[in-house]
Amino acid sequence: MRQIVVISGKGGTGKTVLTSSFASLARNKVMVDCDVDAADLHIILKPKIKERYIFRSGYTAEIDSSKCTGCGNCLRYCRFGAVSREFSIDALSCEGCGLCSRICPSGAINMEERVCGEWFISDTGYGKMVHAKLGIAQENSGKLVAKIKRAAKEIAEAEGCGHIIVDGPPGIGCPVIASLSGADLAVIVTEPTLSGIHDLKRVLELTGHFKIEAGVVVNKYDINIRNLQEIESFCLENDIGLLGHIPFSSEVSRSIVKRIPAVDHMKNDVSSEIRAIWEKIENR
C-alpha cells in the first residue's frame, strides 16, 4: 500500500483538480482530504456520508454560577482576557490552559473538552473517502489530519487497497507535516509565477527535511515560459523529478462547476497529461 500526497506551497495551484483526477484513474484506493481548514475535494467527488464522528481537542473553561463566589481570581490572573466581569467565559478567547480552574477556591470552574469539528467516512463513485470539517476559529488541524489519515489507513488495510491518495493542505505548517507522515511520494503542484516558485522551494525544503521522495507537477505551465524554465532548471540542479506539465485550459473550471474530475470531463492535452503523470507515479 502506497501513500501519495498531493501538496503545494500555496493555495490555488490545482491540487484538488489533480487529486480528483487521480481518484478517477487509480484502481483500488482510498481518498483522504487533509485540507481540513478549507476542504473542497468533496465538491468534485460528491461523497455520500456513511459515518460521522465528532472531533474533540483541547479544553475550554466553564464557570458554574451556583458555586462561584465572585472572588475575582480568574478575572485577575487570566492572561487571555477570557473572563468577563460578570464571571462568564468567552470561549473564543479561552486558551484552555486551566489556570483559572486550579486557582478557583470554590471549585466553580471546570475544564470541558472542546468540540472542534467533525470527520466523515463516505462513499463516492470512485471509492471510499475520508474527510473532515474543522470548526470556525478552532485549532489542532494537525491532530485532525492525523486522525483521518489513520482512519483511511485502517480502511485501506481492511479492504486490501493498493493506494491512499491524499489531497493535502497548502503551505508548510502543521497540517502539511501531518499529511506527509508516512507518505511514499509527495506530488508537489506549482505554477510558473514568482510566488509559485518561492513556495515550491519552501515545500521542497520540507519534504527534503523529512526525507520524503518528491515529484513536481507544473500546472498552467504555458502562462509564463520564462518562469517555467526557472522551475525546470531548479529541479534539474537539485535532482528533483518533474512529473509533468499541465497546460492552461478554461475547461478545467467548467469541470469544477459540473463537479466532474478533469480527466473525465475533457479529452484534450490537459487530460492526456494528467493520465501520463499518473502512469509515471504508478511506474515508480
Side-chain angles (χ1 to χ4, degrees):
M1 179 176 60
R2 288 173 58 82
Q3 289 190 35
I4 299 161
V5 183
V6 183
I7 56 175
S8 64
K10 62 182 288 292
T13 58
K15 287 187 290 80
T16 301
V17 169
L18 193 63
T19 306
S20 60
S21 292
F22 288 170
S24 175
L25 295 171
R27 300 177 298 276
N28 200 23
K29 75 284 181 180
V30 177
M31 286 79 68
V32 192
D33 191 345
C34 287
D35 190 1
V36 298
D37 291 286
D40 55 9
L41 186 60
H42 65 279
I43 295 172
I44 300 178
L45 298 189
K46 296 174 284 192
K48 294 181 180 179
I49 297 172
K50 298 299 182 182
E51 300 177 39
R52 182 189 300 261
Y53 300 94
I54 296 297
F55 172 63
R56 291 182 171 86
S57 182
Y59 293 86
T60 301
E62 293 283 347
I63 298 178
D64 184 344
S65 58
S66 66
K67 295 181 180 179
C68 178
T69 61
C71 70
N73 279 357
C74 55
L75 178 62
R76 188 177 305 114
Y77 291 108
C78 179
R79 295 184 59 189
F80 306 104
V83 184
S84 74
R85 294 190 178 277
E86 292 76 31
F87 300 109
S88 63
I89 301 294
D90 177 1
L92 291 179
S93 298
C94 179
E95 290 290 324
C97 67
L99 174 64
C100 57
S101 68
R102 291 194 292 271
I103 63 174
C104 179
S106 58
I109 304 178
N110 298 313
M111 300 304 297
E112 302 292 338
E113 196 170 21
R114 182 181 296 153
V115 174
C116 294
E118 295 179 289
W119 64 280
F120 319 95
I121 298 174
S122 300
D123 286 336
T124 75
Y126 308 92
K128 287 279 178 65
M129 175 176 167
V130 187
H131 50 121
K133 182 180 181 181
L134 193 68
I136 296 171
Q138 298 297 336
E139 299 179 352
N140 287 315
S141 55
K143 186 176 179 180
L144 179 54
V145 168
K147 181 178 285 290
I148 61 175
K149 278 198 69 183
R150 201 159 47 239
K153 186 176 181 182
E154 290 170 0
I155 293 169
E157 289 174 345
E159 299 187 0
C161 296
H163 294 97
I164 297 175
I165 300 175
V166 180
D167 188 7
I172 58 172
C174 180
V176 180
I177 294 170
S179 299
L180 288 170
S181 175
D184 295 290
L185 175 67
V187 178
I188 304 172
V189 184
T190 188
E191 57 190 11
T193 62
L194 294 179
S195 60
I197 294 169
H198 172 266
D199 292 329
L200 168 66
K201 293 177 180 178
R202 291 200 312 161
V203 79
L204 280 168
E205 287 179 12
L206 183 67
T207 56
H209 174 79
F210 289 106
K211 296 180 173 57
I212 296 170
E213 183 183 359
V216 173
V217 173
V218 186
N219 192 24
K220 297 172 282 191
Y221 80 89
D222 45 356
I223 64 172
N224 191 313
I225 298 302
R226 180 177 296 178
N227 286 337
L228 169 67
Q229 292 170 343
E230 183 176 340
I231 292 171
E232 290 176 330
S233 297
F234 178 81
C235 290
L236 182 64
E237 291 167 6
N238 292 274
D239 195 27
I240 298 160
L242 266 170
L243 294 172
H245 304 71
I246 301 173
F248 173 82
S249 172
S250 57
E251 283 299 312
V252 173
S253 297
R254 295 190 182 97
S255 73
I256 296 170
V257 171
K258 292 183 178 182
R259 303 179 68 187
I260 301 172
V263 290
D264 296 335
H265 170 72
M266 63 189 82
K267 303 298 179 185
N268 57 12
D269 291 346
V270 172
S271 57
S272 297
E273 184 63 14
I274 293 175
R275 290 177 186 277
I277 291 167
W278 179 248
E279 288 178 8
K280 287 181 182 178
I281 291 170
E282 281 199 309
N283 291 335
R284 283 181 174 228

